[in-house]
Amino acid sequence: MKEKNRNKYNNWLNHLSNTKDRTNYSIRRMDLLVIAISGAGIYIIFETLREFKTGKIEIENSTILIWSGVILLLGIISNFISQVTGYHGNNNEEKYIVEELKKIEGKKHDACLQKEYDNKVNQFNFWTDLLNVVSIVFMLVGVFLLAIFNYLLI
């Protein structure tokens, strides 16, 4: 293999290794924060409802509390779906890189299949990015509504 191709090959191997790391990282990334905050908000809602049942507090308008819980739950669900799309995006990028490495090595590769992987990567990345933004917005709105509800209790 020529030196130029060897460097290109090594760069792609490096990229493949980094992509595999990102595949694993997509499961552990900042989304945990969204899940934790949304889960804590839902826990607060359940505790508030428990206190309401015991008669220790009065809830005059439960609509804000209910909407807060629904929105926080939607944040968790959209975040979970973004984890799935993120995984598939990274998985298809790994397959794309394997085809690129075959091409550089001079082995038989499928250019149509590689293009298909690239298209899938773009689609899954689009949905992952969108769902991440949606889950963050849901989390923020849910926490904001919960704060308003708590403020109105005072």
Side-chain angles (χ1 to χ4, degrees):
M1 191 181 296
K2 293 181 181 177
E3 184 63 30
K4 181 180 176 184
N5 284 342
R6 172 66 58 196
N7 288 336
K8 190 175 182 181
Y9 182 81
N10 288 335
N11 286 341
W12 276 111
L13 280 177
N14 239 353
H15 186 65
L16 178 60
S17 176
N18 290 336
T19 301
K20 287 180 180 180
D21 289 343
R22 286 193 312 267
T23 300
N24 292 328
Y25 178 71
S26 69
I27 296 169
R28 299 176 267 131
R29 63 182 187 236
M30 184 190 131
D31 302 317
L32 293 174
L33 184 60
V34 172
I35 298 297
I37 292 172
S38 296
I42 291 172
Y43 175 76
I44 290 169
I45 291 168
F46 283 136
E47 286 299 311
T48 303
L49 291 173
R50 188 171 64 97
E51 292 298 314
F52 171 70
K53 284 185 176 184
T54 63
K56 294 180 182 177
I57 61 170
E58 287 185 34
I59 300 176
E60 293 177 15
N61 187 0
S62 62
T63 305
I64 295 174
L65 186 65
I66 291 168
W67 275 108
S68 176
V70 167
I71 291 171
L72 289 169
L73 185 59
L74 288 173
I76 291 172
I77 291 168
S78 61
N79 188 273
F80 174 75
I81 295 169
S82 80
Q83 292 297 315
V84 173
T85 59
Y87 167 78
H88 287 297
N90 288 325
N91 189 304
N92 279 286
E93 187 167 354
E94 285 180 30
K95 293 173 184 176
Y96 173 89
I97 294 168
V98 167
E99 289 298 318
E100 186 65 28
L101 291 173
K102 286 179 186 177
K103 183 169 62 174
I104 293 169
E105 291 173 332
K107 295 180 179 175
K108 184 179 178 191
H109 74 284
D110 189 339
C112 291
L113 187 60
Q114 188 177 20
K115 184 167 176 57
E116 183 182 323
Y117 291 145
D118 192 39
N119 289 336
K120 286 181 180 181
V121 167
N122 291 331
Q123 290 173 359
F124 282 120
N125 286 347
F126 169 80
W127 286 109
T128 300
D129 292 342
L130 180 65
L131 287 164
N132 281 336
V133 170
V134 166
S135 67
I136 290 169
V137 168
F138 278 147
M139 178 202 65
L140 292 172
V141 170
V143 168
F144 182 71
L145 288 175
L146 189 57
I148 290 173
F149 173 79
N150 283 326
Y151 176 76
L152 294 175
L153 284 178
I154 298 173

